[in-house]
Amino acid sequence: MAANDSIFLGAHEAPGQHSVQRCDACGADWHELDASPACPHCGGLLAIIHRAPLDSMGAPAAPAALQHAFAQHCCARPSGHPSGVWRFEQVVMPAAGAAITSHPEGNTPLLSRARVSAWAGCDGLLLKHEGYNPTGSFKDRGMTVGTTQAVRTGATAVACASTGNTSASLASYAAQAGIPGLVFVPAGKVALGKMAQTLAYGATTLLVRGDFDDCLRLVQDASRELGIYLLNSINPWRVEGQKTIVLELLQQMDWHVPDFLVLPAGNLGNTAAFGKALREAHALGLIHRMPRLVSVQAAGAAPFATAFRDSFRERLRVQAETIATAIRIGDPASWDRAVRAIRDTNGLVLSVTDEEIIDAKVQVDAAGVGCEPASAASVAGVRQLVRSGVIRSGDRVVAVLTGHVLKDPGMLVELHQQRDDFAHANRPVEIEVSVRAVADVLARRTREGA
Ligand code: F0G
């Protein structure tokens, strides 16, 4: 196994350190407090390699003992609630100590909803709803860890490029840490809820005249030249936090592995994080087999899905266009790591059309659960796999809903109030101040429903 393929630190590596940052490309190790956004030698992406957790006798911790520790362990926050990220501190950032900046976050539910299962054709479908995080998306799990690292390294400012959720999350955590936040978003392409949050939490917001891929290039250059700490998902500590989506859902399933784990994919940070979480959980004996990881892209932003059909022979990029603005990304940054995640898990990559995304969102919303458009790609992906016979009756499937329904209110208002061709439109009805008017509306609704 090459040096950069190892899962945990060897006994004699990096003495005195809990974790190192290792370059994916050249295998060089960097101190865990090095704040470089990429390998200072070759520019490769950095990954965190931890020392495997030990028991009180200094021997490798047994899986049952680790599971017990994860169930017990919580960082006491002022609110008294445990964090669904820091509960897994030993495999996320063991040396965080007092620097932890947490809301708390995580502890998101695993839902089962008959309406969504029936629509997707999958009885065993569970929805891991990351929209229940404090800023309404899964980004908070990576951001609590990335911001904690910013505090540990004494960062004077933090920055990210974003399609909206990362910027909302960064703005919130930067405010909590008391560090100035700077966000780069594509002008005119960020959903209303995300933009409102970012402004409210007080980040300096740059509306870049370009797309997300331009924003990511610009923030990388700016952070290198201006010494600002980069908090995009290529930040290796963000990846550590996002691993806890997988750890937490496995814990919720009593460490029984689902057959399929399905998630929306844009910049591929989450796909990469899921792959790392599963490799580590397997190496620690927490699980004994891998679920098949399924990354779902929007058809208009699907370079990874296209490359998958050709066995990832080439790295592709496209000019991205989709109604799901969160995953409107044409040149995903965590490509190689995501390829590894798909290969390690005998995984799949799909694309779904904007129509399929809207259909899935209508079902999730009408079940009273709700999610943002990009999140619904995972449910649309499940339906596609059921129809093609890949997911079979009896399979246990977890679809990740990555963001809250209120992230994109503009789209909801358009669908329900403005568009004439939307079959599921739930139009509000304006009435006079009279019970008679209420009765008329109810009677009409009953007739329409009959
Ligand atoms: N779902 C939502 C709601 C997202 O906001 C994102 C990414 C994804 C899925 C895709 O995750 O990039 O790790 O493959 N949003 C980023 C952002 C790009 O800036 O908020 P990914």
Side-chain angles (χ1 to χ4, degrees):
M1 191 182 272
N4 52 349
D5 272 350
S6 36
I7 295 179
F8 291 103
L9 282 173
H12 303 295
E13 286 182 281
Q17 285 186 71
H18 287 89
S19 320
V20 296
Q21 307 188 72
R22 182 165 293 171
C23 176
D24 273 356
C26 74
D29 279 353
W30 303 95
H31 193 278
E32 67 171 301
L33 292 178
D34 191 307
S36 310
C39 176
H41 264 170
C42 75
L45 293 190
L46 297 170
I48 304 302
I49 311 287
H50 299 294
R51 202 168 294 292
L54 301 176
D55 65 19
S56 55
M57 308 298 285
L66 264 182
Q67 288 166 357
H68 182 71
F70 292 152
Q72 299 298 309
H73 180 75
C74 62
C75 283
R77 307 257 68 82
S79 60
H81 292 295
S83 160
V85 172
W86 295 102
R87 187 162 74 236
F88 302 101
E89 185 173 20
Q90 286 167 284
V91 290
V92 168
M93 184 187 269
I100 290 177
T101 305
S102 166
H103 266 274
E105 48 290 306
N107 294 318
T108 59
L110 202 50
L111 308 171
S112 164
R113 290 292 181 272
R115 178 181 182 133
V116 182
S117 298
W119 180 80
C122 177
D123 287 346
L125 178 62
L126 294 171
L127 306 169
K128 177 70 173 157
H129 206 326
E130 288 294 302
Y132 283 65
N133 271 293
T135 77
S137 85
F138 71 97
K139 302 290 180 180
D140 294 339
R141 291 185 184 262
M143 204 53 76
T144 179
V145 183
T147 309
T148 297
Q149 181 68 357
V151 171
R152 292 175 78 202
T153 58
T156 51
V158 290
C160 71
S162 182
T163 54
N165 278 324
T166 304
S167 59
S169 186
L170 178 144
S172 165
Y173 280 84
Q176 190 175 342
I179 301 174
L182 184 61
V183 308
F184 297 66
V185 295
K189 297 292 182 189
V190 175
L192 187 62
K194 306 174 189 184
M195 180 59 80
Q197 286 179 288
T198 307
L199 298 176
Y201 298 136
T204 299
T205 305
L206 304 175
L207 307 177
V208 179
R209 295 190 194 108
D211 60 15
F212 169 81
D213 302 296
D214 295 318
C215 292
L216 187 55
R217 276 190 293 275
L218 181 58
V219 76
Q220 283 173 285
D221 291 346
S223 64
R224 220 179 0 256
E225 287 177 32
L226 307 175
I228 301 168
Y229 189 62
L230 187 65
L231 277 178
N232 269 99
S233 60
I234 55 171
N235 178 309
W237 297 104
R238 288 266 323 271
V239 174
E240 292 308 292
Q242 283 169 213
K243 286 186 331 195
T244 65
I245 303 171
V246 172
L247 295 173
E248 189 176 273
L249 75 85
L250 288 171
Q251 190 180 38
Q252 286 166 313
M253 297 178 81
D254 209 11
W255 302 96
H256 294 302
V257 178
D259 298 296
F260 293 87
L261 180 47
V262 188
L263 78 164
N267 212 21
L268 300 176
N270 233 12
T271 302
F274 279 34
K276 189 169 191 282
L278 290 167
R279 276 195 303 279
E280 291 178 358
H282 193 262
L284 291 169
L286 296 167
I287 56 172
H288 300 293
R289 66 180 179 88
M290 294 289 201
R292 295 186 76 181
L293 202 55
V294 183
S295 292
V296 187
Q297 296 202 293
F304 196 55
T306 308
F308 171 76
R309 289 194 283 276
D310 192 26
S311 308
F312 294 125
R313 246 185 285 279
E314 254 188 297
R315 179 168 179 162
L316 306 175
R317 48 181 66 93
V318 300
Q319 194 66 44
E321 190 51 70
T322 167
I323 192 170
T325 51
I327 50 175
R328 190 175 179 275
I329 295 172
D331 185 12
S334 295
W335 185 282
D336 294 336
R337 292 175 175 182
V339 169
R340 184 176 177 195
I342 296 300
R343 287 195 172 138
D344 283 353
T345 60
N346 185 26
L348 298 159
V349 190
L350 312 178
S351 62
V352 292
T353 63
D354 281 1
E355 288 69 33
E356 290 175 292
I357 289 175
I358 294 174
D359 286 350
K361 180 175 155 54
V362 164
Q363 299 303 326
V364 176
D365 288 356
V369 172
C371 68
E372 71 162 285
S375 308
S378 60
V379 175
V382 172
R383 180 169 152 110
Q384 206 183 88
L385 289 180
V386 170
R387 292 189 154 191
S388 61
V390 177
I391 292 180
R392 285 184 300 216
S393 135
D395 280 340
R396 304 230 301 172
V397 180
V398 176
V400 182
L401 299 178
T402 43
H404 195 278
V405 67
L406 284 176
K407 287 285 189 174
D408 198 344
M411 182 209 186
L412 286 171
V413 169
E414 196 207 314
L415 281 179
H416 290 288
Q417 288 190 251
Q418 289 160 8
R419 254 178 52 182
D420 292 328
D421 59 341
F422 182 51
H424 301 275
N426 178 19
R427 293 203 194 292
V429 187
E430 192 169 324
I431 58 163
E432 297 302 332
V433 191
S434 88
V435 173
R436 181 67 211 234
V438 178
D440 285 350
V441 174
L442 286 180
R444 206 174 328 129
R445 283 273 153 113
T446 310
R447 272 201 309 279
E448 283 165 4

